[in-house]
Amino acid sequence: MNKAVLVFSGGQDSTTCLIRAKETFDEIHCITFDYGQRHRQEIEIAQQIAKALHVTSHKVMDVSLLNELAISSLTRDNIPVKHELDSNGLPNSFVPGRNILFLTLAGIYAYQLNASTIITGVCETDFSGYPDCRNEFVKEMNRAINSGMDSFIHIETPLMWLNKAETWALADKYGQLDFVVNQTLTCYNGIIGSGCGDCPACHLREKGLTEYLNNKGAIQAALNQKLTD
Ligand code: ZN
């Protein structure tokens, strides 16, 4: 039995990973982390998507401790999301330790389920400036998880080298472009689909979609090239 644990936020990226994983895995166990995030609606939306796409199981894990410890515009309502970077070179939406915690918990869950794979939609290209989305970080976490549990779990990052336009092309490849456009939530202000149109997440999403729709053939070719590399 080919089992995967999928870190699932209900956004464009993790939903596209889920659509792709359905082609390969017999069982997909999604986990959504509740850390009191600004975009609270994402938990409800993740539940709807998990149901619509018939995943094996969907677990919402309470990690509110992260909200208490990590200060960010995503965890504090009184800190507005800024477009420009902070003096440390990071966006103020960066939640320190988030993916360290999430992958650790996903690792424990995968171990208990006897799942061979953890899937996460992190991406180094079209980089939002988060150090815990880099390939190097994921590789290191993967080593730490296996070393700490004497396991052979593989962390899969299907979007690592794709830009946003190519991620849209990937959803389209599986015939799910409209589903991802309309049913997912990426917006920091918690608005489903095309979102508020103003926050950095909406900008990135919209820019990638416009790029894809204006140049489908070339972007599909670039995607296929990357998938076969
Ligand atoms: Zn938005």
Side-chain angles (χ1 to χ4, degrees), residues 21-69:
K22 280 174 63 79
E23 306 286 316
T24 329
F25 292 92
D26 305 312
E27 284 190 14
I28 302 172
H29 300 270
C30 292
I31 33 176
T32 300
F33 295 105
D34 181 356
Y35 58 100
Q37 51 269 62
R38 175 189 282 265
H39 33 310
R40 300 282 305 152
Q41 295 85 339
E42 76 173 33
I43 293 165
E44 204 176 295
I45 285 167
Q47 282 166 328
Q48 287 167 13
I49 296 172
K51 203 171 169 194
L53 295 180
H54 307 289
V55 305
T56 313
S57 74
H58 180 222
K59 192 178 185 65
V60 178
M61 255 184 224
D62 177 9
V63 289
S64 43
L65 186 65
L66 179 64
N67 185 283
E68 194 183 314
L69 292 173

Side-chain angles (χ1 to χ4, degrees), residues 7 15 26 46-47 50-51 58 61 69-70 77 81 95-96 100 143 150 159 187 199 207 217 224:
V7 179
T15 302
D26 305 312
Q47 282 166 328
K51 203 171 169 194
H58 180 222
M61 255 184 224
L69 292 173
D77 285 342
V81 181
V95 182
I100 298 176
R143 276 192 292 273
D150 213 2
L159 310 184
C187 174
C199 73
K207 187 173 158 277
N224 288 332

Side-chain angles (χ1 to χ4, degrees), residues 81-226:
V81 181
K82 280 197 305 191
H83 285 261
E84 61 280 10
L85 301 179
D86 273 345
S87 55
N88 60 4
L90 295 171
N92 78 349
S93 55
F94 173 60
V95 182
R98 180 168 55 174
N99 282 340
I100 298 176
L101 181 65
F102 288 2
L103 289 176
T104 302
L105 295 172
I108 300 169
Y109 195 46
Y111 182 92
Q112 292 302 336
L113 289 171
N114 212 9
S116 61
T117 308
I118 296 168
I119 304 167
T120 169
V122 295
C123 165
E124 185 162 327
T125 326
D126 258 359
F127 187 43
S128 307
Y130 300 150
D132 59 354
C133 289
R134 293 182 199 146
N135 192 47
E136 190 49 39
F137 160 75
V138 176
K139 291 264 178 304
E140 280 170 0
M141 271 308 291
N142 204 159
R143 276 192 292 273
I145 284 169
N146 285 333
S147 155
M149 298 192 299
D150 213 2
S151 56
F152 298 92
I153 295 163
H154 170 60
I155 303 181
E156 204 174 89
T157 53
L159 310 184
M160 183 58 79
W161 306 111
L162 307 189
N163 60 37
K164 269 283 179 278
E166 289 161 349
T167 302
W168 285 117
L170 187 58
D172 203 12
K173 186 182 170 75
Y174 296 112
Q176 298 278 26
L177 181 65
D178 285 346
F179 182 88
V180 179
V181 166
N182 296 311
Q183 306 297 324
T184 64
L185 185 150
T186 311
C187 174
Y188 290 154
N189 291 311
I191 300 167
I192 194 170
S194 54
C196 74
D198 192 40
C199 73
C202 280
H203 278 220
L204 204 60
R205 177 177 165 128
E206 181 54 35
K207 187 173 158 277
L209 184 58
T210 308
E211 216 177 294
Y212 175 59
L213 295 176
N214 288 337
N215 203 359
K216 273 192 175 187
I219 291 166
Q220 282 164 356
L223 170 70
N224 288 332
Q225 183 60 45
K226 284 185 184 179

